[in-house]
Amino acid sequence: KSRQSEESIRNECAILQRVSLHRCIASLESVYEEKDRFLIVMEMVTGGELFDQLCEHGAYSEPEAAKLLREVGGAIALLHAQGLCHADIKPENMLLTSDGHIKLVDFGLSCEISRAEAKTTGTLAYWAPELWRRNPPKLPIDMWALGVVLYILLLGEHPCDGGHHGLVRPGEVG
């Protein structure tokens, strides 16, 4: 509770309750509130982050990338059908199951489009152009970020890496 507002945690849990039914979204199992913290119990996903998989093994084949994109695209379609924007689509927020399927996670920046504040959220490297103009989040920003993820899946590097080849976490030297 000292690192994140109670309102933002409650918002994330409420959104997860609405969307956890999708097979490509890690399900919310339970939420416990203690005096100084929230305990959020999520579905156990054992295959690690998509980002780590890309760093270790490089780009995916077109059929493999298409399968993952179809899965996460379905999860995003459910969000958008409910008027929700994930607002932080990136490989670090996609976990792999032990059999290679994808689970979308981290709904901490998600918002209802009808209530979106005039603020920008998410990870800069995945921002849609309209966010640079400080426009409030809208559904197309998820689609832009998904396009960036597809580029990374196919080429194993970020499209805006400034000439760096390969993926590294912020602050690391490749």
Side-chain angles (χ1 to χ4, degrees):
K1 289 183 179 179
S2 64
R3 287 192 245 155
Q4 198 173 347
S5 75
E6 286 188 38
E7 180 185 354
S8 70
I9 294 168
R10 290 183 198 287
N11 179 64
E12 181 174 2
C13 291
I15 288 173
L16 279 167
Q17 286 175 335
R18 288 173 58 181
V19 301
S20 285
L21 59 104
H22 194 281
R23 65 183 175 82
C24 294
I25 295 175
S27 63
L28 175 67
E29 300 296 327
S30 192
V31 179
Y32 303 95
E33 183 176 359
E34 295 181 347
K35 187 178 98 178
D36 60 340
R37 64 184 169 176
F38 283 93
L39 302 168
I40 301 172
V41 181
M42 301 290 297
E43 169 185 3
M44 185 170 186
V45 184
T46 60
E49 286 182 10
L50 176 60
F51 184 87
D52 292 335
Q53 180 73 15
L54 283 160
C55 287
E56 291 174 28
H57 302 285
Y60 280 67
S61 69
E62 285 185 30
E64 292 171 322
K67 177 186 96 75
L68 292 179
L69 193 72
R70 212 173 10 260
E71 290 179 354
V72 77
I76 293 169
L78 173 70
L79 288 168
H80 290 185
Q82 294 190 29
L84 299 170
C85 180
H86 185 279
D88 201 17
I89 301 291
K90 59 185 178 181
E92 295 89 332
N93 288 339
M94 297 175 192
L95 300 179
L96 295 169
T97 63
S98 59
D99 58 350
H101 293 280
I102 205 152
K103 296 278 186 175
L104 188 59
V105 298
D106 194 353
F107 288 77
L109 297 176
S110 298
C111 58
E112 287 193 45
I113 296 307
S114 62
R115 294 189 205 164
E117 299 172 22
K119 67 178 183 176
T120 52
T121 61
T123 303
L124 295 178
Y126 299 88
W127 271 17
E130 57 267 27
L131 289 179
W132 290 102
R133 293 187 297 275
R134 301 290 183 197
N135 293 336
K138 294 196 177 0
L139 301 180
I141 69 167
D142 283 346
M143 301 314 294
W144 176 275
L146 188 57
V148 174
V149 170
L150 176 60
Y151 184 98
I152 293 168
L153 282 170
L154 293 172
L155 295 168
E157 61 186 55
H158 197 281
C160 304
D161 68 358
H164 181 278
H165 298 286
L167 292 174
V168 294
R169 291 196 184 274
E172 291 181 3
V173 176

